[in-house]
């Protein structure tokens, strides 16, 4: 999401277009709200609501990680969380009114790249401020690279304080990124969606532990059991999800009887081979949200190429119970765009409706009550739709997928990372139904919401503006 760098009042904002301190302006006279420069779908009251100016987020250098989002939603607390682009300030707004609920000022870092995430636990929602930068090097201390984690309770008020602050030293030759779900975060280098070594952070306790690749024995691997190298992909409430690829005692060219297995393990709870659909030897963990894990399954490919969602082989996209592995909903899809399936690649586009009845992830949506899914992937005559949000009635929204030569557009489930936020010239948008599976093109240049609350409020963002509009 885009960074917010201007302070907003309830129902108003600084309309000057400048880059004021995000906590400034609480006493000045209210200005007219900054309006979105593009239309939004029917059903949202654009003449009311609140808005503020915004700046583009930093592009992540590690495709497949959770990147550096500067806006997040705490749904149960009813908050929009804003982080300044330089990581110097965090502000929590009431989703419905735009009123500032609390602010947080972290320790000073320079050359900062920052991201903000919201995680849910037994003690409630926690806001996780993750930053990369350098210490000041004041006094006798030398400047050094670091990654810091600050955890703030979402139900804070006024000037919030961090319940936990972690300072993780970063070697000069290491590019660190963040891999976050709504129940866990890993900090460390990312290659093809997995970590060779990372630090797992427990937002509830502040406890950190090192997780790294390990050798595990997997049953149901090929014709029996096999020892594989499992690499951490992302953290969840059921433990770290690790991905593995069988390389020994199987035919990597998929020409023999013993097919290689590509799978994953969820903490100590379950392994992909115990829940794989019939004849599916390739399982990729795409995302986690709430009590669910989203995966992709298909028959064995040659292990020299990454698995892909293509038009030559059907792929099953499934929603599993995170604690047991039981499949709650699934759909079989193909795609004319040949999108790479990578651990964690759909995390940024995976959303539950507030009531928990519907789930969208990448280009697929699911009605969890019925177990049915719908594909919004490309065909020879239609374009794919990257889904961004889903409401309690099953109405979902998305961006029409545009294929170019960048890794971001060839990676399944990753929302466009562009300097224009979600709205980039040439991107069309659509509204779809999770109940019927139908899709409808929206008017040209229409912006789609990134979140729709249970009361109908929609969160929208372009390059310059973030706005929240109530249902009309």
């Amino acid at each position: 999401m885009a960074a917010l760098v201007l302070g907003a009042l309830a129902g108003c904002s600084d309309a000057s277009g400048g880059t004021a301190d995000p906590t400034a302006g609480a006493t000045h006279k209210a200005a007219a709200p900054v309006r979105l420069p593009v239309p939004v779908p029917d059903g949202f009251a654009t003449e009311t609501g609140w808005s503020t100016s915004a700046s583009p987020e930093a592009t992540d250098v590690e495709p497949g990680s959770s990147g550096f989002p500067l806006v997040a939603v705490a749904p149960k607390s009813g908050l929009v969380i804003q982080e300044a682009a330089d990581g110097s300030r965090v502000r929590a707004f009431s989703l419905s009114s735009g009123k500032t609920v609390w602010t947080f000022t972290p320790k000073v870092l320079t050359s900062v790249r920052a991201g903000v995430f919201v995680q849910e636990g037994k003690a409630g929602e926690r806001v996780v401020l993750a930053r990369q930068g350098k210490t000041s090097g004041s006094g006798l201390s030398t400047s050094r690279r670091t990654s810091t984690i600050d955890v703030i309770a979402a139900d804070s008020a006024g000037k919030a304080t961090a319940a936990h602050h972690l300072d993780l030293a970063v070697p000069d030759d290491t590019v660190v990124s963040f891999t976050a779900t709504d129940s866990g975060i890993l900090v460390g280098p990312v290659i093809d969606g997995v970590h060779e070594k990372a630090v797992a952070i427990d937002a509830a306790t502040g406890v950190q532990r090192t997780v790294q690749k390990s050798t595990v024995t997997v049953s149901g691997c090929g014709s029996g059991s096999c020892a594989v190298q499992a690499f951490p992909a992302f953290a969840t409430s059921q433990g770290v999800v690790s991905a593995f690829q069988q390389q020994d005692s199987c035919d990597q060219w998929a020409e023999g009887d013993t097919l290689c297995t590509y799978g994953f393990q969820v903490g100590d709870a379950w392994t992909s081979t115990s829940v794989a659909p019939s004849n599916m030897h390739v399982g990729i963990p795409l995302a986690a949200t709430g009590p669910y894990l989203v995966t992709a399954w298909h028959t064995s490919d040659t292990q020299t190429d990454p698995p892909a969602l293509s038009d030559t082989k059907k792929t099953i996209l499934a929603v599993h119970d995170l604690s047991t592995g039981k499949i709650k909903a699934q759909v079989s899809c193909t795609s004319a765009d040949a999108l790479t399936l990578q651990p964690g690649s759909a995390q940024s586009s995976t959303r539950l409706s507030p009531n928990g009845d519907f789930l969208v992830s990448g280009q697929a949506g699911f009605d969890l009550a019925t177990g049915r899914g719908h594909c919004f992937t490309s065909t020879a005559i239609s374009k794919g739709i990257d889904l961004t949000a889903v409401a309690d009635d099953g109405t979902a929204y998305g961006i029409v997928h545009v294929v170019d030569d960048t890794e971001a557009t060839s990676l399944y489930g990753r929302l466009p990372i562009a300097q224009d936020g979600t709205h980039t010239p040439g991107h069309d948008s659509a509204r779809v139904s999770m109940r019927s599976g139908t899709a409808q093109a929206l008017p040209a240049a229409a912006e789609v919401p990134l979140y729709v609350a249970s009361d109908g409020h929609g969160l929208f963002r372009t390059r310059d503006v973030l706005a929240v509009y109530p249902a009309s």
Side-chain angles (χ1 to χ4, degrees):
M1 290 187 177
L4 299 187
V5 294
L6 293 187
L9 302 177
C12 67
S13 68
D14 182 345
S16 66
T19 55
D21 185 316
T23 63
T27 60
H28 74 256
K29 185 177 180 180
V34 179
R35 296 298 184 188
L36 285 178
V38 291
V40 303
D42 294 340
F44 297 97
T46 56
E47 70 279 1
T48 58
W50 61 275
S51 57
T52 188
S53 298
S55 293
E57 69 176 7
T59 301
D60 195 359
V61 296
E62 296 289 349
S65 76
S66 300
F68 301 90
L70 295 175
V71 175
V73 175
K76 293 187 176 180
S77 303
L79 299 175
V80 176
I81 311 298
Q82 165 206 307
E83 182 179 353
D86 62 0
S88 64
R89 196 87 59 174
V90 179
R91 195 172 190 180
F93 299 97
S94 166
L95 176 66
S96 59
S97 70
K99 179 181 178 180
T100 299
V101 178
W102 54 261
T103 61
F104 172 72
T105 304
K107 294 181 179 180
V108 175
L109 292 179
T110 61
S111 304
V112 172
R113 305 183 86 198
V116 65
F117 308 94
V118 173
Q119 298 186 342
E120 171 67 20
K122 293 181 180 179
E125 290 175 316
R126 295 287 187 269
V127 176
V128 179
L129 169 62
R131 299 183 297 161
Q132 296 177 17
K134 293 182 178 180
T135 59
S136 63
S138 59
L140 298 178
S141 300
T142 59
S143 177
R144 59 180 175 82
R145 293 183 64 203
T146 185
S147 287
T148 64
I149 302 291
D150 288 284
V151 180
I152 309 107
D155 61 1
S156 297
K159 291 186 177 180
T161 58
H164 309 290
H165 173 79
L166 304 177
D167 192 333
L168 311 174
V170 178
D172 288 339
D173 60 349
T174 301
V175 178
V176 173
S177 197
F178 307 118
T179 305
T181 68
D182 56 11
S183 57
I185 183 169
L186 298 182
V187 183
V190 179
I191 299 176
D192 295 333
V194 297
H195 302 261
E196 185 163 326
K197 182 179 180 180
V199 175
I201 308 296
D202 186 326
T205 64
V207 171
Q208 57 178 298
R209 63 185 180 92
T210 299
V211 294
Q212 52 192 336
K213 68 176 182 179
S214 60
T215 301
V216 297
T217 299
V218 179
S219 61
C221 191
S223 60
S225 297
C226 62
V228 295
Q229 290 286 300
F231 293 81
F234 46 86
T236 73
S237 59
Q238 294 298 316
V240 173
V241 176
S242 298
F244 61 79
Q245 178 179 330
Q246 181 187 10
Q247 294 181 320
D248 298 325
S249 303
C250 64
D251 183 359
Q252 295 190 25
W253 298 101
E255 295 176 348
D257 294 331
T258 306
L259 301 176
C260 293
T261 297
Y262 189 124
F264 57 90
Q265 181 168 300
V266 180
D268 297 323
W270 54 280
T271 302
S272 60
T273 53
S274 65
V275 300
S278 179
N279 297 319
M280 295 292 177
H281 297 277
V282 177
I284 304 98
L286 298 175
T289 184
Y292 303 112
L293 179 73
V294 181
T295 64
W297 299 93
H298 64 136
T299 55
S300 185
D301 279 335
T302 59
Q303 299 295 290
T304 55
D305 297 319
L309 182 62
S310 67
D311 60 356
T312 59
K313 182 176 297 183
K314 287 187 177 181
T315 296
I316 292 177
L317 297 172
V319 179
H320 298 254
D321 183 301
L322 184 59
S323 61
T324 66
K326 181 180 178 180
I327 294 179
K328 305 290 289 184
Q330 66 181 55
V331 64
S332 180
C333 301
T334 60
S335 173
D337 292 334
L339 303 173
T340 300
L341 297 164
Q342 183 172 287
S345 62
Q347 190 63 52
S348 67
S349 62
T350 299
R351 308 273 193 277
L352 268 175
S353 60
N355 61 9
D357 289 347
F358 302 95
L359 185 151
V360 295
S361 181
Q363 298 181 356
F366 303 88
D367 183 337
L368 298 176
T370 64
R372 292 196 299 266
H374 300 285
C375 294
F376 302 96
T377 50
S378 62
T379 68
I381 59 174
S382 63
K383 299 176 182 178
I385 303 171
D386 296 314
L387 301 174
T388 63
V390 60
D392 280 348
D393 64 356
T395 300
Y397 301 88
I399 305 165
V400 175
H401 190 83
V402 176
V403 179
D404 56 32
D405 294 330
T406 65
E407 185 169 4
T409 64
S410 64
L411 195 62
Y412 177 78
R414 185 171 188 178
L415 292 178
I417 293 182
Q419 294 301 300
D420 292 338
T422 61
H423 185 79
T424 301
H427 275 168
D428 294 318
S429 55
R431 175 167 42 210
V432 303
S433 170
M434 292 301 103
R435 295 185 186 277
S436 65
T438 57
Q440 174 190 16
L442 292 172
E447 189 59 76
V448 290
L450 296 176
Y451 176 76
V452 181
S454 56
D455 63 3
H457 278 82
L459 174 68
F460 297 84
R461 177 183 60 81
T462 64
R463 174 183 175 87
D464 301 311
V465 179
L466 180 136
V468 175
Y469 296 130
S472 59

